[in-house]
Amino acid sequence: MRHILKNYQSIILLLLGILVGSLVGMFAPDFVVYLKPIGDIFLNLLFVAVIPLLFFAITASIGTIQDGGHLVKIVVVMAAVFVVTICIASVATITGLWLVPVTAVADAGATQSLLSAGAAGESWGDRIVRFLSVSEFQELLSRQNILAFVLFSVLLGIAVRKTGKTADAFIAFLSSGNEVMQQLLALIMKAGPIGLGAYFAYQVKTFGPELFGFYAKPMGFYYLFGMLYFILFFSLYAYVARGLPGIGTYWRHNITPSLTAISTCSSLATMPSNIIAAKRMGIPDAVANVVIPLGNTLYKNGSAISSILKIYVAFAILGWNFFELETLLLAVGITLLVSLVAGGIPNGGFIGELLMISIYNIPNEAVPAVLIIGALVDPLATILNATGDTVAAMLVARFAKVEPTLTEIPTRYDT
């Protein structure tokens, strides 16, 4: 019990900060004016850290892929599995929200008058150009152009791989920088209870106590829908990979990774048990050693579901219509990118919120709402994120047609 409490300490403190901020907003609204600058400083620290964090995390991940005889085929199939299943998770969540609306704001008109609307209308061509590119290098360093920076980091990672041994020193720099930036974000997030508590006090004062009812329904939706997705869809993927025996194999060896995920609240901490489970599931090493480490960074079912929910919640706060075709297509695209960058970075889900804000031009005042959603769904999201890697590896082995070597075959029956 003490071990579990230690691992959930950051979430408990975050919720405590939100609770204190809420009480201040309700019972001492005149004091909120002194707290809001603290929340602004915390958010600005996150905004400043996001660019170097993305650079090192994405470039190092791609640049350090180990070569192998099946690498190209495995990577191509892996990318297809990741994209298709994340899109399935996104569409399923959108369908669930359409069937069961879970948010309501007492006075959406007043809320929208407080939060200014986004940018003026653009053509699709202009929007694609703005999302994917900039005209000057220094513009990449702005969080407003974060999608262009993600693409730049991916291309640089590919270039690092093509350079060969000459890039060894650069790879060491990337790996070291990735570790440093993870520590920096962890350091910033130590101020999360104070920063988010201060901003939540502002929200409660501005929007009223209705916020508590506003968050209760999305949380109920996420945990109910997430558990159904975990059981039904992961079983379906295991069936596609190996038929009926695959379902039993997956769940029999997925117990330890699931318990590890909920105990540590960390996808990264779950990776070792995932690798062991993959061997016991009979997944070839050539597949497991590529898909599971990369999946730990690039494949996030839980983040995909929460991404759609966060966008839905943000639109509800602003009084915007979520169920428009353009909005839904962008939401699925954002969710794919969230899965790409959220990864093994501590608190990496916050980067997804920044992507959402950048694309939809959502005002900063709406940021705490999606941050709080992310914190509240983190335990189940971690389970979905972490344990999805092994079932994805099963699918990759199936479609890439990679068989275990003779020395690996006995591990298929390990218990």
Side-chain angles (χ1 to χ4, degrees), residues 138-152:
Q138 64 267 22
E139 294 177 8
L140 286 173
L141 304 180
S142 169
R143 66 182 175 88
Q144 301 300 325
N145 300 315
I146 201 166
L147 296 184
F149 191 80
V150 167
L151 179 60
F152 172 81

Side-chain angles (χ1 to χ4, degrees), residues 79-357:
V81 168
F82 285 2
V83 170
V84 170
T85 53
I86 290 299
C87 287
I88 289 173
S90 303
V91 173
T93 308
I94 290 171
T95 303
L97 289 169
W98 181 70
L99 293 173
V100 186
V102 295
T103 56
V105 176
D107 189 359
T111 303
Q112 187 166 2
S113 67
L114 176 69
L115 306 178
S116 58
E122 296 175 300
S123 70
W124 265 102
D126 291 339
R127 180 170 292 181
I128 291 173
V129 170
R130 179 169 64 84
F131 287 173
L132 300 181
S133 66
V134 294
S135 59
E136 299 288 345
F137 177 79
Q138 64 267 22
E139 294 177 8
L140 286 173
L141 304 180
S142 169
R143 66 182 175 88
Q144 301 300 325
N145 300 315
I146 201 166
L147 296 184
F149 191 80
V150 167
L151 179 60
F152 172 81
S153 298
V154 169
L155 294 175
L156 184 60
I158 295 173
V160 168
R161 282 186 43 74
K162 287 183 170 292
T163 304
K165 290 188 176 298
T166 308
D168 285 350
F170 190 61
I171 290 175
F173 164 71
L174 292 173
S175 299
S176 177
N178 189 27
E179 292 296 324
V180 170
M181 290 310 302
Q182 289 185 24
Q183 293 300 320
L184 175 61
L185 187 60
L187 187 62
I188 292 173
M189 285 310 302
K190 289 185 181 298
I194 298 174
L196 285 182
Y199 227 130
F200 205 72
Y202 165 76
Q203 279 203 314
V204 170
K205 176 193 174 185
T206 304
F207 302 139
E210 296 86 359
L211 281 173
F212 294 105
F214 179 81
Y215 285 119
K217 291 182 179 179
M219 290 307 95
F221 173 86
Y222 186 90
Y223 279 91
L224 178 59
F225 180 84
M227 286 304 300
L228 289 174
Y229 185 90
F230 181 50
I231 296 170
L232 298 179
F233 281 81
F234 282 14
S235 296
L236 174 62
Y237 296 151
Y239 175 79
V240 171
R242 295 190 186 172
L244 286 176
I247 298 176
T249 300
Y250 175 73
W251 288 110
R252 183 166 63 253
H253 297 299
N254 191 45
I255 295 174
T256 298
S258 297
L259 293 176
T260 303
I262 197 170
S263 297
T264 63
C265 219
S266 168
S267 296
L268 195 61
T270 309
M271 187 167 64
S273 61
N274 267 340
I275 292 176
I276 295 172
K279 290 180 178 292
R280 293 174 174 172
M281 292 174 190
I283 300 171
D285 287 347
V287 173
N289 291 341
V290 172
V291 175
I292 291 178
L294 279 180
N296 191 264
T297 299
L298 305 176
Y299 185 58
K300 302 291 175 182
N301 286 275
S303 298
I305 297 171
S306 66
S307 172
I308 296 295
L309 182 62
K310 290 170 188 175
I311 296 171
Y312 178 86
V313 168
F315 270 56
I317 290 175
L318 295 165
W320 298 349
N321 181 15
F322 175 73
F323 295 104
E324 291 181 347
L325 180 59
E326 180 179 337
T327 298
L328 297 178
L329 291 175
L330 281 174
V332 174
I334 291 170
T335 298
L336 286 171
L337 286 168
V338 167
S339 183
L340 173 68
V341 303
I345 307 168
N347 306 294
F350 295 141
I351 310 305
E353 281 108 40
L354 298 180
L355 286 169
M356 180 188 75
I357 293 162

Side-chain angles (χ1 to χ4, degrees), residues 36-48:
K36 188 173 183 295
I38 298 175
D40 290 332
I41 292 172
F42 170 72
L43 292 178
N44 287 341
L45 284 172
L46 284 178
F47 292 148
V48 169

Side-chain angles (χ1 to χ4, degrees), residues 8 10-11 14-15 18 189 196 219 223 265 310 350 353 368-380:
Y8 282 98
S10 60
I11 295 179
L14 194 62
L15 294 176
I18 291 170
M189 285 310 302
L196 285 182
M219 290 307 95
Y223 279 91
C265 219
K310 290 170 188 175
F350 295 141
E353 281 108 40
V370 290
L371 292 181
I372 291 163
I373 295 288
L376 294 175
V377 304
D378 191 56
L380 181 55

